[in-house]
Amino acid sequence: MGKSKMIQCEVCDFEVLESDWETHINTSQHKENALTQIMEDRLGKERLAKSRDETTEFLEELEHDLLQKKSDSENVE
């Protein structure tokens, strides 16, 4: 079996195996990052940042940390 090449996901800012690309783009993390990027492009990063309240930002950070810890623990196994 040939070696799969790596594809750079510009939305998530990391590389994904070509064979895993379809699975990757269907993850909630990728979809959320893509939506955020679209919103920032349309509204402008400054305006979007001003429209968020501290509670939303705090919850997003907690969710990101949880996803990162989950990802780290899956990579260890």
Side-chain angles (χ1 to χ4, degrees), residues 7-22:
I7 298 174
Q8 179 69 30
C9 178
E10 294 178 12
V11 172
C12 297
D13 198 29
F14 59 83
E15 290 186 342
V16 179
L17 282 172
E18 184 177 33
S19 59
D20 295 334
W21 181 252
E22 290 297 321

Side-chain angles (χ1 to χ4, degrees), residues 34-51:
L35 181 58
T36 300
Q37 187 174 19
I38 290 167
M39 290 172 61
E40 288 175 347
D41 290 346
R42 288 191 179 176
L43 298 175
K45 287 184 181 184
E46 266 188 53
R47 184 170 170 201
L48 180 63
K50 288 178 184 176
S51 67

Side-chain angles (χ1 to χ4, degrees), residues 15-31:
E15 290 186 342
V16 179
L17 282 172
E18 184 177 33
S19 59
D20 295 334
W21 181 252
E22 290 297 321
T23 302
H24 168 70
I25 62 172
N26 286 318
T27 62
S28 58
Q29 180 183 9
H30 177 84
K31 290 178 182 180

Side-chain angles (χ1 to χ4, degrees), residues 54-67:
E54 291 180 18
T55 304
T56 302
E57 290 177 349
F58 178 72
L59 291 173
E60 288 175 347
E61 289 175 13
L62 286 176
E63 183 178 23
H64 181 301
D65 290 346
L66 179 64
L67 290 172

